[in-house]
Amino acid sequence: MSGSDNRPMTVSEKIFSKASGTPVKAGDFVLANIDLAMTHDITGPLAVQGFYEIMRDEEDKKVWDPSKIVIIFDHQVPADSINAAQNHIMLRKFAKEQGILNYDVYEGVCHQVLPEKGHVKPGDLIVGSDSHTCAYGSLGAFSTGIGSTDMAAVFATGKLWFRVPETFRFEVEGKLPERVYSKDLILHLIGDVGVEGVRYMAAEYAGSTIRSLSIPERMTMSNMAIEMGGKAGIIEADEVTEAYLKERIPGFKLDPYWKSDEGAKYLDIRYYDVSDLEPQVACPHNVDNVKSVSEVEGTKLDQIFMGSCTNGRFEDIKIMADIMGDEPVAKDLRLLVVPASKTEYMKLLKAGYIEKLVNAGAIVEAPCCGPCMGGSFGLLGPGEVGLATSNRNFKGREGSAESFVYLSSPATAGASALTGEITDPRKV
């Protein structure tokens, strides 16, 4: 099934056609129905305030559909200031009054919790008041970040205006070499096209390499689409997606419609062979300042942050821990490990990895965003150098504006934890 004129469509065009109720093409402006809206403890309060301003003349100040809204506390949890505590109180009250599902301080990072709790399906149009909402594209949804005032409008109406984005397709072939992972791949793509290379486009990842990735690895790819300016980072749903969702959504069955048609129009297509790809590192202070690990080996580190919505899953932390083996964290290095959700934390706990990491000298925190946003704990001081498995390394992102943040895969983080400097994981 394609458009009414039998025109082949990208999966993004199909999703917006469903959401707007009419066949659309890239460049069209549409008023689209939202399938799911997410907000969290940082952006949520302003969205709630805006909602009540929109509804001030309405006798019944109710959101459009409480079953399609989720609130998650993850950025400042447990509350690290009086202001954060007040925000939590306000959002708990709003959720209770409106009948909205609220995942409180114990559950984890929004972009991990929503998929693992079965809130995301292929073909959905999802918005979140957080830029990394594009992570849900790993399951074949069109998901994108919006501002708090736009979220207020969604709370009130369940609709939002969009310009249907063009699609930039990345065709990736070849088997990733040993100790090279999807984080290395996405950093390589960002380094190639630049931070604005896919601005207001849907980044569509395809090819045999992408199909071979697990859902956790796909989440890493989709999560960082925003770092090249993407409106979304989408991967066509397949049997891997179906197996993941069957565990989370009773009776789920994959609809093969939610993929791009043969002959669909793309703004650009780039082809990559990753058979010889080296581990990649994004250097200060931009995510597209990407170099091979061999170019930055030996850079002394003060701290490693292992976690975030990009690489805080069981599989990621296991990679790091397995590379470390039974060796201790390097002297004068701080290793902070923050699982992305309670579910992932419990997997690590039951498998013995948390005990192993603590014994090695790491600090393991409860599930949350942690140092990623630079507003909670584990911040870098002036002049300090950090390596993180997260998604951004702008000035001041993880603490002082005079600190330096490098981004890497969990494997590079694990090797570097042993030496106290950026280290090629293939040499450990």
Side-chain angles (χ1 to χ4, degrees):
M1 177 180 173
S2 299
S4 59
D5 54 359
N6 295 317
R7 172 179 48 85
M9 301 173 80
T10 65
V11 63
S12 298
E13 289 172 326
K14 288 182 179 182
I15 291 171
F16 276 104
S17 295
K18 181 205 74 171
S20 62
T22 185
V24 302
K25 63 182 185 301
D28 290 346
F29 289 86
V30 299
L31 183 61
N33 294 302
I34 303 302
D35 292 303
L36 182 70
M38 180 279 298
T39 195
H40 56 60
D41 52 311
I42 294 290
T43 57
L46 182 59
V48 171
Q49 180 184 337
F51 165 75
Y52 282 123
E53 289 178 4
I54 291 171
M55 303 295 285
R56 63 187 171 201
D57 296 328
E58 302 293 327
E59 186 175 335
D60 185 18
K61 295 179 174 56
K62 293 293 184 181
V63 297
W64 107 96
D65 187 342
S67 70
K68 294 184 177 182
I69 300 172
V70 179
I71 296 173
I72 300 181
F73 295 176
D74 61 358
H75 277 62
Q76 291 178 286
V77 301
D80 58 7
S81 66
I82 301 300
N83 183 60
Q86 290 173 327
N87 284 340
H88 293 178
I89 291 168
M90 179 248 218
L91 288 172
R92 288 187 187 110
K93 180 181 177 184
F94 178 72
K96 189 173 182 180
E97 288 177 350
Q98 297 285 341
I100 294 169
L101 178 60
N102 176 30
Y103 291 111
D104 215 298
V105 297
Y106 43 77
E107 203 64 61
V109 185
C110 54
H111 306 313
Q112 175 63 26
V113 173
L114 254 65
E116 76 178 22
K117 296 291 187 183
H119 294 289
V120 178
K121 302 188 301 300
D124 282 354
L125 177 59
I126 301 175
V127 294
S129 51
D130 185 283
S131 59
H132 290 104
T133 299
C134 49
Y136 316 142
S138 56
L139 296 174
F142 189 101
S143 58
T144 193
I146 61 173
S148 296
T149 47
D150 277 345
M151 184 58 72
V154 172
F155 282 177
T157 68
K159 301 176 185 294
L160 200 62
W161 282 100
F162 293 88
R163 184 175 69 82
V164 179
E166 288 85 5
T167 295
F168 191 122
R169 187 173 171 98
F170 294 87
E171 286 275 359
V172 188
E173 303 292 339
K175 182 180 179 182
L176 289 169
E178 187 176 0
R179 292 194 171 174
V180 177
Y181 296 92
S182 67
K183 179 61 167 290
D184 300 298
L185 172 55
I186 189 60
L187 288 177
H188 178 62
L189 300 185
I190 294 167
D192 184 47
V193 302
V195 291
E196 293 196 4
V198 190
R199 186 169 63 177
Y200 207 96
M201 300 178 216
E204 187 174 303
Y205 308 118
S208 62
T209 308
I210 303 301
R211 291 192 297 272
S212 72
L213 299 178
S214 67
I215 293 300
E217 291 174 301
R218 295 179 187 192
M219 287 179 174
T220 301
M221 297 290 299
S222 292
N223 179 281
M224 293 189 70
I226 185 66
E227 309 310 338
M228 47 182 148
K231 188 73 172 171
I234 195 162
I235 296 172
E236 293 176 356
D238 58 14
E239 64 277 1
V240 178
T241 320
E242 185 173 32
Y244 179 89
L245 291 176
K246 276 185 173 179
E247 294 179 0
R248 292 159 175 82
I249 303 174
F252 176 80
K253 187 175 181 181
L254 183 63
D255 184 348
Y257 175 68
W258 299 115
K259 61 181 181 180
S260 295
D261 295 326
E262 187 175 346
K265 184 178 180 182
Y266 299 101
L267 190 67
D268 198 355
I269 304 177
R270 290 207 186 175
Y271 299 89
Y272 299 84
D273 185 335
V274 297
S275 304
D276 297 322
L277 185 66
E278 293 184 49
Q280 305 285 292
V281 176
C283 303
H285 294 282
N286 287 299
V287 187
D288 64 347
N289 184 18
V290 177
K291 302 180 186 297
S292 296
V293 68
S294 57
E295 299 178 73
V296 291
E297 269 192 294
T299 303
K300 189 180 181 306
L301 300 171
D302 296 291
Q303 177 173 294
I304 293 176
F305 164 44
M306 177 70 218
S308 87
C309 57
T310 312
N311 281 120
R313 285 167 281 279
F314 171 85
E315 294 82 356
D316 300 313
I317 296 170
K318 180 181 185 298
I319 288 169
M320 181 195 70
D322 286 347
I323 286 177
M324 292 178 65
D326 295 321
E327 297 298 312
V329 175
K331 186 181 178 182
D332 299 328
L333 175 73
R334 308 185 299 272
L335 173 58
L336 274 60
V337 181
V338 189
S341 72
K342 182 173 72 174
T343 298
E344 301 301 291
Y345 185 103
M346 292 305 295
K347 287 183 195 174
L348 291 160
L349 184 66
K350 291 174 181 176
Y353 284 107
I354 288 180
E355 181 180 4
K356 181 178 180 179
L357 288 165
V358 170
N359 286 336
I363 299 171
V364 182
E365 294 282 357
C368 65
C369 295
C372 182
M373 62 165 274
S376 192
F377 57 82
L379 308 185
L380 294 168
E384 287 197 308
V385 180
L387 179 69
T389 63
S390 53
N391 43 42
R392 285 186 176 153
N393 63 344
F394 309 141
K395 274 192 175 186
R397 173 67 182 185
E398 292 185 13
S400 169
E402 297 172 32
S403 64
F404 303 85
V405 178
Y406 293 79
L407 304 177
S408 79
S409 74
T412 301
S416 303
L418 297 175
T419 63
E421 57 188 38
I422 295 178
T423 301
D424 188 335
R426 299 169 299 178
K427 295 181 178 180
V428 176

